[in-house]
Amino acid sequence: KMKKKELRIINFLNLSHEKYMQILDYRNQEFVRAVSNSTEPITIKQHNDYHKLLEKRDIFFAFLITCNDKDYAVINFKKLEDGSFYVGYYLVDELYKFEGGGVVLHNCMMFICWKLGIKFISYDIKIENSRVFRVGYGGKTISSSQNGDSYHYIAELFEFDNDIVKNTKSRKLFDKLYEIKEIQI
Protein backbone atom coordinates (compact mmCIF):
# COMPACT_ATOMS: atom_id res chain seq x y z
CA LYS A 1 0.00 0.00 0.00
CA MET A 2 1.35 3.37 -1.00
CA LYS A 3 1.93 5.91 1.76
CA LYS A 4 -0.23 8.99 1.32
CA LYS A 5 1.40 12.40 1.04
CA GLU A 6 0.75 14.48 4.15
CA LEU A 7 -0.83 17.89 3.69
CA ARG A 8 -0.83 20.63 6.30
CA ILE A 9 -2.95 23.76 5.94
CA ILE A 10 -1.24 26.52 7.91
CA ASN A 11 -2.84 29.89 8.62
CA PHE A 12 -0.54 32.73 7.52
CA LEU A 13 -0.93 34.17 11.04
CA ASN A 14 0.99 31.16 12.39
CA LEU A 15 3.97 31.54 10.05
CA SER A 16 7.31 32.91 11.20
CA HIS A 17 8.26 36.32 9.82
CA GLU A 18 10.86 34.66 7.57
CA LYS A 19 8.33 32.19 6.18
CA TYR A 20 5.76 34.97 5.66
CA MET A 21 8.35 36.95 3.69
CA GLN A 22 9.07 33.85 1.61
CA ILE A 23 5.38 33.88 0.59
CA LEU A 24 6.07 37.25 -1.05
CA ASP A 25 8.79 35.63 -3.17
CA TYR A 26 6.38 32.87 -4.19
CA ARG A 27 3.64 35.37 -5.08
CA ASN A 28 5.98 37.52 -7.17
CA GLN A 29 7.15 34.68 -9.42
CA GLU A 30 6.40 35.41 -13.08
CA PHE A 31 4.19 32.33 -13.59
CA VAL A 32 2.04 33.34 -10.58
CA ARG A 33 1.76 37.02 -11.51
CA ALA A 34 0.81 36.12 -15.10
CA VAL A 35 -2.47 34.52 -13.95
CA SER A 36 -3.19 36.87 -11.02
CA ASN A 37 -5.69 39.71 -11.03
CA SER A 38 -2.82 42.10 -10.36
CA THR A 39 0.15 41.25 -12.55
CA GLU A 40 2.32 43.85 -10.82
CA PRO A 41 4.84 42.63 -8.22
CA ILE A 42 3.65 42.98 -4.63
CA THR A 43 5.82 45.29 -2.52
CA ILE A 44 7.10 44.51 0.98
CA LYS A 45 4.85 47.28 2.31
CA GLN A 46 1.76 45.77 0.59
CA HIS A 47 2.70 42.34 1.95
CA ASN A 48 3.05 43.70 5.50
CA ASP A 49 -0.22 45.65 5.18
CA TYR A 50 -1.95 42.42 4.10
CA HIS A 51 -0.72 40.73 7.29
CA LYS A 52 -2.40 43.47 9.35
CA LEU A 53 -5.68 42.77 7.49
CA LEU A 54 -5.34 39.04 8.18
CA GLU A 55 -4.93 39.71 11.91
CA LYS A 56 -8.50 41.04 12.10
CA ARG A 57 -9.77 37.55 11.10
CA ASP A 58 -12.93 38.93 9.54
CA ILE A 59 -12.54 39.68 5.83
CA PHE A 60 -9.20 38.12 4.83
CA PHE A 61 -7.94 34.57 5.41
CA ALA A 62 -4.80 33.03 3.92
CA PHE A 63 -3.18 29.61 4.18
CA LEU A 64 0.07 27.95 3.19
CA ILE A 65 -0.32 24.33 2.15
CA THR A 66 2.63 22.04 2.69
CA CYS A 67 3.01 18.58 1.16
CA ASN A 68 5.27 16.26 3.15
CA ASP A 69 6.50 19.36 5.04
CA LYS A 70 7.54 21.16 1.83
CA ASP A 71 5.84 24.42 0.79
CA TYR A 72 3.37 23.55 -1.94
CA ALA A 73 0.62 26.13 -2.47
CA VAL A 74 -1.15 29.23 -1.17
CA ILE A 75 -4.90 29.78 -0.87
CA ASN A 76 -6.46 33.06 0.18
CA PHE A 77 -9.98 34.31 0.76
CA LYS A 78 -11.54 37.76 0.82
CA LYS A 79 -15.12 38.26 2.00
CA LEU A 80 -17.16 40.27 -0.49
CA GLU A 81 -20.19 42.48 0.14
CA ASP A 82 -22.53 39.84 -1.29
CA GLY A 83 -21.44 37.42 1.46
CA SER A 84 -19.40 35.23 -0.85
CA PHE A 85 -15.66 34.77 -0.44
CA TYR A 86 -13.37 35.55 -3.32
CA VAL A 87 -10.86 32.71 -3.68
CA GLY A 88 -7.35 33.04 -5.02
CA TYR A 89 -4.75 30.32 -5.10
CA TYR A 90 -1.47 29.33 -6.67
CA LEU A 91 1.20 26.66 -6.53
CA VAL A 92 4.60 27.78 -5.24
CA ASP A 93 6.42 25.83 -7.97
CA GLU A 94 5.16 25.81 -11.56
CA LEU A 95 6.15 22.14 -11.94
CA TYR A 96 3.56 21.11 -9.32
CA LYS A 97 0.79 21.67 -11.86
CA PHE A 98 2.08 18.64 -13.76
CA GLU A 99 1.85 16.38 -10.71
CA GLY A 100 -1.70 16.98 -9.60
CA GLY A 101 -1.32 20.38 -7.96
CA GLY A 102 -4.73 21.50 -9.18
CA VAL A 103 -6.38 18.50 -7.50
CA VAL A 104 -4.62 19.37 -4.22
CA LEU A 105 -5.63 23.04 -4.45
CA HIS A 106 -9.26 22.29 -5.31
CA ASN A 107 -9.74 19.76 -2.52
CA CYS A 108 -7.90 21.82 0.10
CA MET A 109 -10.01 24.85 -0.88
CA MET A 110 -13.16 22.72 -0.42
CA PHE A 111 -11.89 21.48 2.97
CA ILE A 112 -11.01 25.00 4.21
CA CYS A 113 -14.42 26.34 3.13
CA TRP A 114 -16.11 23.45 4.94
CA LYS A 115 -14.14 24.17 8.13
CA LEU A 116 -14.74 27.94 7.93
CA GLY A 117 -18.42 27.50 7.06
CA ILE A 118 -18.01 29.26 3.71
CA LYS A 119 -20.99 28.40 1.50
CA PHE A 120 -20.48 30.77 -1.44
CA ILE A 121 -17.27 31.47 -3.33
CA SER A 122 -16.43 33.92 -6.10
CA TYR A 123 -13.57 33.44 -8.50
CA ASP A 124 -12.23 34.62 -11.82
CA ILE A 125 -10.79 32.49 -14.57
CA LYS A 126 -8.77 34.10 -17.32
CA ILE A 127 -10.24 33.11 -20.67
CA GLU A 128 -6.97 31.56 -21.84
CA ASN A 129 -6.59 29.44 -18.67
CA SER A 130 -8.18 26.09 -19.56
CA ARG A 131 -6.45 24.00 -16.87
CA VAL A 132 -8.72 25.20 -14.10
CA PHE A 133 -11.79 23.51 -15.59
CA ARG A 134 -10.25 20.09 -15.10
CA VAL A 135 -9.53 20.08 -11.36
CA GLY A 136 -12.86 19.11 -9.88
CA TYR A 137 -16.47 19.78 -9.10
CA GLY A 138 -17.53 21.26 -5.81
CA GLY A 139 -20.78 23.11 -6.12
CA LYS A 140 -23.28 24.70 -8.40
CA THR A 141 -22.69 27.90 -10.31
CA ILE A 142 -25.13 30.61 -9.27
CA SER A 143 -23.94 33.27 -11.70
CA SER A 144 -21.29 33.82 -14.32
CA SER A 145 -20.29 36.84 -16.33
CA GLN A 146 -17.48 37.94 -18.57
CA ASN A 147 -15.33 40.78 -17.33
CA GLY A 148 -12.68 41.82 -19.85
CA ASP A 149 -10.30 38.90 -20.32
CA SER A 150 -11.84 36.85 -17.47
CA TYR A 151 -14.97 34.95 -16.57
CA HIS A 152 -16.35 35.72 -13.10
CA TYR A 153 -18.25 32.99 -11.26
CA ILE A 154 -20.19 32.73 -8.01
CA ALA A 155 -20.78 29.18 -6.81
CA GLU A 156 -22.68 27.62 -3.94
CA LEU A 157 -20.39 24.96 -2.51
CA PHE A 158 -21.33 21.45 -1.52
CA GLU A 159 -20.07 20.24 1.86
CA PHE A 160 -16.66 18.52 1.76
CA ASP A 161 -18.24 15.28 3.01
CA ASN A 162 -21.11 15.37 0.47
CA ASP A 163 -21.46 12.12 -1.52
CA ILE A 164 -21.52 14.02 -4.82
CA VAL A 165 -18.12 15.54 -3.95
CA LYS A 166 -16.71 12.27 -2.58
CA ASN A 167 -17.57 10.49 -5.83
CA THR A 168 -15.86 12.95 -8.18
CA LYS A 169 -12.77 11.80 -10.03
CA SER A 170 -10.79 14.65 -8.43
CA ARG A 171 -11.80 13.70 -4.88
CA LYS A 172 -11.21 9.97 -5.38
CA LEU A 173 -7.71 10.72 -6.65
CA PHE A 174 -7.12 13.14 -3.78
CA ASP A 175 -8.27 10.64 -1.14
CA LYS A 176 -6.07 7.94 -2.64
CA LEU A 177 -2.88 10.05 -2.75
CA TYR A 178 -3.21 12.67 0.01
CA GLU A 179 -4.21 13.06 3.63
CA ILE A 180 -4.88 16.37 5.36
CA LYS A 181 -2.98 15.92 8.63
CA GLU A 182 -3.53 19.35 10.11
CA ILE A 183 -5.52 22.51 9.51
CA GLN A 184 -5.08 25.78 11.37
CA ILE A 185 -8.08 28.09 11.10
Side-chain angles (χ1 to χ4, degrees), residues 59-123:
I59 295 173
F60 295 92
F61 301 91
F63 303 91
L64 172 66
I65 295 170
T66 64
C67 182
N68 289 343
D69 295 320
K70 193 172 155 195
D71 294 354
Y72 195 80
V74 168
I75 299 180
N76 50 57
F77 298 89
K78 177 186 179 186
K79 189 169 190 176
L80 302 179
E81 287 177 16
D82 65 12
S84 70
F85 281 81
Y86 187 84
V87 180
Y89 49 71
Y90 58 88
L91 299 165
V92 302
D93 186 324
E94 192 169 21
L95 295 177
Y96 294 162
K97 70 183 177 186
F98 301 108
E99 60 179 51
V103 169
V104 171
L105 276 171
H106 175 78
N107 285 284
C108 285
M109 181 272 297
M110 292 288 297
F111 188 76
I112 293 166
C113 288
W114 186 51
K115 289 295 188 185
L116 286 175
I118 293 173
K119 302 280 188 226
F120 298 92
I121 60 166
S122 296
Y123 56 97

Side-chain angles (χ1 to χ4, degrees), residues 8 10 12-13 17 25 27 35 39 48 67 69 71 73 77 81 92 96 100 111 133-134 143-144 157-158 179:
R8 295 191 194 309
I10 304 162
F12 271 22
L13 295 175
H17 178 71
D25 294 336
R27 169 57 179 80
V35 296
T39 55
N48 287 332
C67 182
D69 295 320
D71 294 354
F77 298 89
E81 287 177 16
V92 302
Y96 294 162
F111 188 76
F133 295 106
R134 300 198 302 259
S143 74
S144 62
L157 292 180
F158 296 132
E179 181 180 5

